[in-house]
C-alpha cells in the first residue's frame, strides 16, 4: 500500500505544426479498394491534378502574403507514389519553393504498401518528401485477400522497412474489421505495426459507405461490420501498445468530412469515437494505478489537457470511476504535468 502515486500519461507529446491537407482523391490508385469512399470523404468524384496544383499554388501564395504558417503539407486521399509523372516531382517542387520561403516545414504523403520501392522513395526524399504514411490496413494475408487489397502481409512489412531505410518518416494506417477479419487479428496488426516503430498511426475501423463494393457485400449478407462497443474496446487496447513504442496516434476513426456521414450504411462510426477511445484507455491506466495504490483513493489530481476526454463521451465513464473510488468531487484538473493519486 502506498501514500500516494505519481504517474504520467504514456502518450508521446503531439507535434505543434499545423497540417495543410491536400486531397487527391483516388489519384494514382491502381483500382478502388472495396471499402474506400474518398469521393464521399472529400466531396469530389474526379480529380484534375492541374486544377489542384494551381489552386494549391495560389493558396500558398496568399498564406505567405498574409504571414501565415508554417505548415506541414500533407498529400492525402490517393496513392502519391504512383501518381503519373511529372506530378510527384511537380507537387514536391512546389512544396520546396514554399519551404525555401519559410511557409512549409514538412511534407508527407499517403500511399499503398505495394507502390513503394527503394529508388522511387530515395528520389522523392531528394525532392523534399519527409514522411510516408502507408495504408497498411492489415498485415493479415486472409483479411488482405478478402478485401481485394492485392498484396500480402509481407509486402506491407517490407514497405515499412523501405520507407525507414530511405530515411523517411513512417506513418501507418490500420483498418480493423475488414472482410476476412477474425478475433485477435487487429491486436496482432497493432503489435506488428508498433514493432515497426512508426512516428504516427491512424486507426480507422472499417465502415460501410454507400456506393462502395463493400456496401454490396454488406447488402448481400457477405460482410458484417464491427459494433461500436467492439471498436471502442479494441482501439482502447491498441493505444498503450503504440504509445509504449512512442508512436503518436493521430487519428481514431474517419473524420466527418464531405458527405461521409450521410452515406454511412453500417459500421462503428461515431463523431466522438476518438474521445471515447482515448477516455477508455486513460481509465484503464488510472484503474491500474488505483490497484497499485491498494486502497480506495481519496483524490486524483490530473493535467488539464486530459479533462476533455477523461470521462469519455457524454460522461460515459463517470460510473466506472465511481466504482474504483473516484467520485467527480475527488478528481481535480490543473496546470500540472503529472497525475497524482492520493
Ligand atoms: S484505399 Fe487508398 S489505395 Fe485504395 S482506393 Fe482508397 S485511396 Fe486508393
Amino acid at each position: 500500500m502506498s501514500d500516494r502515486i505519481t504517474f504520467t500519461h504514456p502518450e508521446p507529446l503531439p507535434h505543434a505544426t499545423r497540417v495543410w491537407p491536400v486531397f487527391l482523391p483516388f489519384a494514382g490508385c491502381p483500382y478502388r479498394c472495396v471499402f474506400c469512399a474518398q469521393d464521399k470523404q472529400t466531396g469530389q468524384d474526379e480529380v484534375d491534378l492541374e486544377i489542384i496544383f494551381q489552386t494549391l499554388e495560389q493558396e500558398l501564395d496568399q498564406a505567405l502574403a498574409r504571414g501565415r504558417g508554417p505548415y506541414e503539407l500533407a498529400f492525402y486521399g490517393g496513392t502519391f507514389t504512383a501518381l503519373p509523372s511529372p506530378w510527384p516531382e511537380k507537387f514536391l517542387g512546389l512544396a520546396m519553393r514554399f519551404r525555401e520561403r519559410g511557409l512549409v516545414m514538412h511534407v508527407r504523403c499517403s500511399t499503398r504498401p505495394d507502390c513503394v520501392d527503394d529508388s522511387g522513395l530515395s528520389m522523392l526524399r531528394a525532392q523534399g518528401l519527409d514522411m510516408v504514411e502507408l495504408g497498411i490496413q492489415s498485415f493479415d494475408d486472409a483479411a488482405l485477400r478478402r478485401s481485394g487489397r492485392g498484396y500480402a502481409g509481407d509486402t506491407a512489412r517490407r514497405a515499412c522497412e523501405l520507407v525507414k531505410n530511405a530515411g523517411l518518416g513512417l506513418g501507418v494506417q490500420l483498418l480493423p474489421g475488414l472482410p476476412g477479419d477474425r478475433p485477435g487479428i487487429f491486436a496482432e496488426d497493432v503489435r506488428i505495426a508498433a514493432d515497426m516503430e512508426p512516428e504516427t498511426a491512424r486507426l480507422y475501423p472499417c465502415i460501410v459507405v454507400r456506393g462502395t463494393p463493400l456496401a454490396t457485400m454488406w447488402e448481400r449478407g457477405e460482410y458484417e461490420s464491427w459494433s461500436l462497443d467492439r471498436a471502442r474496446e479494441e482501439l482502447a487496447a491498441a493505444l498503450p501498445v503504440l504509445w509504449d513504442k512512442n508512436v503518436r496516434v493521430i487519428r481514431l476513426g474517419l473524420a466527418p468530412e464531405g458527405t461521409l456521414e450521410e452515406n454511412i450504411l453500417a459500421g462503428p462510426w461515431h463523431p466522438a469515437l476518438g474521445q471515447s477511445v482515448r477516455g477508455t484507455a486513460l481509465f484503464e491506466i488510472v484503474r491500474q494505478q488505483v490497484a497499485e495504490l491498494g486502497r480506495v483513493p481519496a483524490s486524483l489530481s490530473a493535467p488539464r489537457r486530459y479533462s476533455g476526454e477523461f470521462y469519455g463521451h457524454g460522461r460515459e465513464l463517470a460510473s466506472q470511476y465511481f466504482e474504483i473510488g473516484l467520485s467527480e468531487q475527488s478528481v481535480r484538473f490543473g496546470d500540472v504535468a503529472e497525475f497524482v493519486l492520493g
Side-chain angles (χ1 to χ4, degrees):
M1 208 191 309
S2 310
D3 265 359
R4 62 181 211 165
I5 288 182
T6 301
F7 59 99
T8 53
H9 197 295
E11 178 183 28
L13 288 176
H15 280 189
T17 330
R18 276 170 289 178
V19 174
W20 182 311
V22 184
F23 291 105
L24 311 169
F26 298 121
C29 299
Y31 50 83
R32 296 196 179 192
C33 301
V34 293
F35 51 83
C36 187
Q38 287 297 335
D39 49 344
K40 306 289 190 307
Q41 283 168 255
T42 61
Q44 290 173 268
D45 266 329
E46 295 288 322
V47 54
D48 183 328
L49 294 175
E50 186 60 49
I51 291 175
I52 291 176
F53 181 88
Q54 286 174 12
T55 309
L56 177 62
E57 188 171 32
Q58 282 166 14
E59 289 175 352
L60 288 171
D61 259 329
Q62 284 167 7
L64 189 67
R66 289 176 187 156
R68 301 221 173 112
Y71 293 100
E72 175 174 16
L73 215 51
F75 296 97
Y76 292 148
T79 305
F80 190 84
T81 57
L83 289 182
S85 182
W87 288 107
E89 48 272 35
K90 271 193 83 166
F91 279 116
L92 292 176
L94 181 65
M96 185 61 85
R97 292 212 302 279
F98 284 92
R99 189 192 284 251
E100 284 160 0
R101 293 149 82 187
L103 185 72
V104 172
M105 298 284 286
H106 192 264
V107 184
R108 68 170 121 137
C109 72
S110 62
T111 195
R112 293 171 53 98
D114 54 349
C115 290
V116 292
D117 61 35
D118 260 336
S119 58
L121 288 171
S122 300
M123 203 178 339
L124 295 174
R125 179 157 193 261
Q127 289 164 354
L129 186 66
D130 297 293
M131 182 173 181
V132 172
E133 288 193 51
L134 290 172
I136 298 287
Q137 322 312 8
S138 176
F139 292 98
D140 181 71
D141 289 344
L144 290 167
R145 194 169 46 247
R146 285 278 322 275
S147 308
R149 283 289 283 176
Y151 57 84
D154 277 351
T155 309
R157 284 189 188 82
R158 177 87 187 117
C160 293
E161 286 161 8
L162 286 171
V163 170
K164 292 185 91 167
N165 292 345
L168 290 155
L170 171 67
V172 298
Q173 300 174 15
L174 295 178
L175 212 128
L178 282 168
D181 180 56
R182 294 157 341 268
I185 291 292
F186 178 56
E188 181 64 4
D189 281 342
V190 169
R191 192 190 59 73
I192 297 170
D195 282 348
M196 298 289 173
E197 300 190 359
E199 289 178 21
T200 63
R202 294 172 193 266
L203 309 176
Y204 297 120
C206 189
I207 53 174
V208 181
V209 182
R210 188 175 285 114
T212 59
L214 189 63
T216 312
M217 290 167 75
W218 174 76
E219 276 155 11
R220 288 188 192 138
E222 296 165 8
Y223 171 74
E224 195 179 332
S225 60
W226 276 16
S227 67
L228 197 53
D229 280 348
R230 179 170 177 195
R232 185 186 301 116
E233 279 164 28
E234 295 235 12
L235 265 56
L239 289 181
V241 179
L242 293 161
W243 289 338
D244 191 45
K245 293 287 176 87
N246 219 25
V247 182
R248 286 182 294 120
V249 180
I250 56 176
R251 185 77 219 170
L252 291 160
L254 288 173
E257 287 164 340
T259 56
L260 179 74
E261 195 170 347
E262 68 210 55
N263 283 295
I264 295 174
L265 299 176
W269 189 85
H270 189 283
L273 179 64
Q275 180 192 25
S276 198
V277 168
R278 290 175 54 87
T280 304
L282 178 52
F283 173 75
E284 184 54 26
I285 293 165
V286 176
R287 194 191 63 75
Q288 286 173 15
Q289 296 294 342
V290 169
E292 188 77 14
L293 189 68
R295 59 172 167 78
V296 176
S299 65
L300 175 70
S301 160
R304 196 183 308 283
R305 63 184 290 242
Y306 297 106
S307 62
E309 66 199 49
F310 188 84
Y311 290 109
H313 174 62
R315 308 191 82 71
E316 64 195 337
L317 297 166
S319 60
Q320 291 182 57
Y321 275 110
F322 190 77
E323 280 169 22
I324 61 169
L326 287 167
S327 67
E328 296 194 34
Q329 292 72 35
S330 62
V331 179
R332 288 278 176 274
F333 297 97
D335 297 323
V336 293
E338 295 174 321
F339 292 79
V340 181
L341 198 55

